[in-house]
Amino acid sequence: MTQAPPIPPTEPPATGAPDQPDLPDLSEGWGEQRSRLKKDLRRLDVLFFLICTLVGLDTIGSVAAQGPQGITWMAILALVFFLPYGLLVAELGSAFPVQGGPYVWTRLAFGRLVAGVNQLLYWISNPVWVGGSLCIIALTTWEEFFTPLPGFWKYAAGLVFIWGGALAVVQSVRIGKWVPIAGAVARIVLLGFFLVSVVVFAAEHGVHALPAGEFVPTYVGFVGLVPVLIFNYVGFELPSSAAEEMTNPRRDIPLSILRSGLASVVLYGGPILGILFVLPAKEIGSLGGFIDACKAVFTVYGGSVAADGTVTLTGLGSVFGGVAAAGLIIGLLTSGVTWAMGAHRAQAVACADGAGPAWLGKISEKHGTPVRVNLLSAVLGSILFVVALNLTDGNGEKYFAAGLGLTICTTFISYVITFPSLAVLRRKYPDTPRPYAVPGGRLGTWIVSALATGLVAFTVVVLIWPGFGVGWFGSAGNAADSLPASFAGERAQYTLSQVVPLLLFVGIGLVFYAMGAKTRRRVGE
């Protein structure tokens, strides 16, 4: 049986020499690349990294569009998904603090083939996200607050957004870590100022009443909300992809998960309530909900709302609107960059280990980052952006719905494989030191794994077939109403927009694995 790199008490040695002979060996393909990593991530850096990862500004409007019950489901899922998921990653990240995080956990549990295809799905969801929903919200924000982007200029602006992020991702961790720090600060300032403005707006104009009955959770609401709410809650595993660039991953990962988890619940819940207080529920769109709410509340500093709901900002209101728009665009960009910093590192480890082409597993000697994976992601994001914008004829809402759905679906399919690793690794490697362990022994481990895995699996079904279960057995509701508004009456078109790319991604994962055959032969498998 092959041997493994050590699972170190604080820092992994540069050589990757094994001390646990029953673990797979990553040192042959990864040892040379490991020596190029730079250990510059401290506890506060990891905390900001997670805040920037968890608090995504692209889904706030989608949750608010479902009305007050979105707050109720947010609280419920915080208990039955967010908490178990955090416990799961805290144990895996502190017990196996090796570069590549989720890829390594899945590799230890299920082998290289499963882990390689799974990692491809996890990685490729990032260019889909950046070139899809993040890019379209950034462009919509620019057009709402600054100037229209007709024809060529929309394509140019989108490519600047994608490649600006790519430039940030390729930088060394010493420089690159300032991107999530800036993103976390931008979120805190933007969302905090928005909430203060909501209070001022309420004092001057009053707010929309939110009847208690609208907070009552329904199955229809759950089906509509579960994808975006759980997507809001994921990202805990990303710092583990850079575990060997941390000064003390065993200590910092669990603590950062706890603190960032509490912060993200507050930073999500407050703005969603603010949107509901400011805008009538029927006027909240999944794409522009947060943007429209910002414009409305900033009229307290200068501007007006016409009878038809059109908002005009003037004077100081216009200034604050522009600053908030810039903060939102920065927040969107840093979301993509932060996810890329984790997902790309894990993909490089997979390729160096023989689950993908070896040339993609190279770490830059100058930057200490997987530059080739980063650039390939930017190319894929650019292609997706241009193709999708043409296929939807510039329809931002349709582009947003398909892009966000595909991003979440691709990411969550990978989680369906990764999350069960917790229970499997408890059984396979019971003697591995666990600075933090899920409480409750074997039963607690199975409960946590089942809750996290079951909810993401259900979300995948709901994303591929919106309205799954609605109207069954005489229950209320119509499944067709759960389709994104931009795909009303077009179920087949929406389903194909999810299924066809997913099948393509799985095929790419198998091709990548075949391209890693030379590496696998070299390590003597």
Side-chain angles (χ1 to χ4, degrees):
M1 183 177 289
T2 54
Q3 294 190 347
I7 304 300
T10 53
E11 299 182 3
T15 61
D19 71 349
Q20 297 187 30
D22 55 342
L23 299 181
D25 184 9
L26 304 181
S27 60
E28 185 71 22
W30 178 245
E32 178 186 353
Q33 310 307 318
R34 168 182 276 137
S35 65
R36 300 173 181 175
L37 302 176
K38 306 180 189 304
K39 196 173 291 293
D40 286 315
L41 283 176
R42 303 184 182 277
R43 184 186 301 178
L44 189 60
D45 301 327
V46 178
L47 174 61
F48 281 127
F49 189 102
L50 280 172
I51 290 176
C52 193
T53 298
L54 294 169
V55 184
L57 301 177
D58 55 324
T59 53
I60 290 178
S62 298
V63 177
Q66 297 293 327
Q69 69 169 307
I71 297 294
T72 306
W73 280 119
M74 181 179 173
I76 293 172
L77 288 173
L79 292 176
V80 300
F81 174 78
F82 199 34
L83 179 59
Y85 164 58
L87 297 175
L88 182 153
V89 175
E91 174 170 329
L92 289 174
S94 59
F96 304 95
V98 179
Q99 192 83 355
Y103 169 74
V104 176
W105 308 335
T106 313
R107 163 88 152 86
L108 295 176
F110 305 115
R112 186 185 277 121
L113 173 59
V114 172
V117 177
N118 190 62
Q119 174 55 41
L120 187 284
L121 293 175
Y122 187 73
W123 160 65
I124 208 167
S125 66
N126 182 257
V128 170
W129 187 38
V130 173
S133 59
L134 288 186
C135 201
I136 195 63
I137 291 183
L139 296 180
T140 301
T141 302
W142 181 274
E143 292 185 317
E144 285 282 339
F145 285 92
F146 299 113
T147 183
L149 295 168
F152 163 81
W153 293 106
K154 180 166 288 188
Y155 290 95
L159 293 175
V160 167
F161 180 86
I162 293 168
W163 284 93
L167 179 63
V169 177
V170 301
Q171 302 304 313
S172 67
V173 68
R174 181 174 58 84
I175 298 173
K177 70 182 182 181
W178 289 100
V179 174
I181 291 174
V185 172
R187 284 160 171 74
I188 294 169
V189 172
L190 173 61
L191 297 177
F193 183 66
F194 173 73
L195 289 177
V196 170
S197 301
V198 167
V199 174
V200 177
F201 184 90
E204 290 190 11
H205 304 288
V207 295
H208 294 281
L210 300 178
E214 295 186 7
F215 286 89
V216 176
T218 65
Y219 180 75
V220 174
F222 175 69
V223 169
L225 283 163
V226 67
V228 290
L229 281 176
I230 293 186
F231 188 58
N232 286 346
Y233 282 150
V234 296
F236 278 145
E237 73 286 346
L238 282 166
S240 293
S241 297
E244 296 180 27
E245 296 169 81
M246 297 182 193
T247 54
N248 193 333
R250 289 188 182 273
R251 176 198 63 191
D252 295 343
I253 287 174
L255 286 173
S256 298
I257 286 175
L258 172 63
R259 294 168 180 173
S260 63
L262 294 173
S264 64
V265 171
V266 174
L267 289 172
Y268 270 129
I272 291 170
L273 266 178
I275 294 174
L276 294 172
F277 279 133
V278 171
L279 296 178
K282 63 181 181 180
E283 294 182 10
I284 301 174
S286 58
L287 172 57
F290 184 60
I291 301 170
D292 294 339
C294 283
K295 291 184 71 174
V297 297
F298 290 160
T299 56
V300 299
Y301 308 115
S304 61
V305 181
D308 62 356
T310 302
V311 178
T312 302
L313 294 176
T314 60
L316 195 58
S318 180
V319 173
F320 283 149
V323 172
L328 178 57
I329 293 172
I330 291 172
L332 295 169
L333 180 64
T334 54
S335 284
V337 168
T338 307
W339 271 84
M341 290 173 69
H344 294 185
R345 281 164 164 79
Q347 184 62 37
V349 172
C351 291
D353 183 46
W359 62 272
L360 275 179
K362 301 296 183 183
I363 300 297
S364 165
E365 292 188 35
K366 177 180 179 181
H367 299 292
T369 60
V371 172
R372 295 176 179 180
V373 177
N374 298 338
L375 295 179
L376 178 59
S377 294
V379 171
L380 292 176
S382 300
I383 294 172
L384 175 74
F385 168 68
V386 173
V387 171
L389 206 59
N390 278 281
L391 289 178
T392 57
D393 296 322
N395 185 329
E397 283 282 357
K398 180 170 284 191
Y399 180 16
F400 173 78
L404 182 60
L406 183 58
T407 298
I408 300 174
C409 197
T410 308
T411 306
F412 283 14
I413 290 176
S414 75
Y415 284 148
V416 170
I417 306 300
T418 301
F419 288 171
S421 300
L422 174 69
V424 174
L425 294 180
R426 272 281 190 101
R427 175 180 56 82
K428 291 181 70 172
Y429 308 114
D431 299 327
T432 296
R434 286 171 167 81
Y436 171 81
V438 173
R442 180 173 295 181
L443 178 60
T445 301
W446 278 103
I447 290 173
V448 163
S449 297
L451 283 172
T453 305
L455 281 166
V456 294
F458 179 79
T459 301
V460 170
V461 174
V462 168
L463 282 166
I464 294 176
W465 192 266
F468 176 80
V470 174
W472 291 12
F473 309 111
S475 60
N478 185 341
D481 295 337
S482 296
L483 282 166
S486 53
F487 281 92
E490 300 177 356
R491 180 175 291 278
Q493 185 178 348
Y494 175 80
T495 300
L496 288 173
S497 75
Q498 308 299 300
V499 173
V500 172
L502 285 172
L503 293 175
L504 176 63
F505 297 160
V506 172
I508 293 174
L510 293 173
V511 170
F512 266 40
Y513 185 78
M515 294 174 70
K518 183 177 180 180
T519 301
R520 296 195 298 275
R521 286 195 299 269
R522 189 175 72 245
V523 300
E525 180 174 280

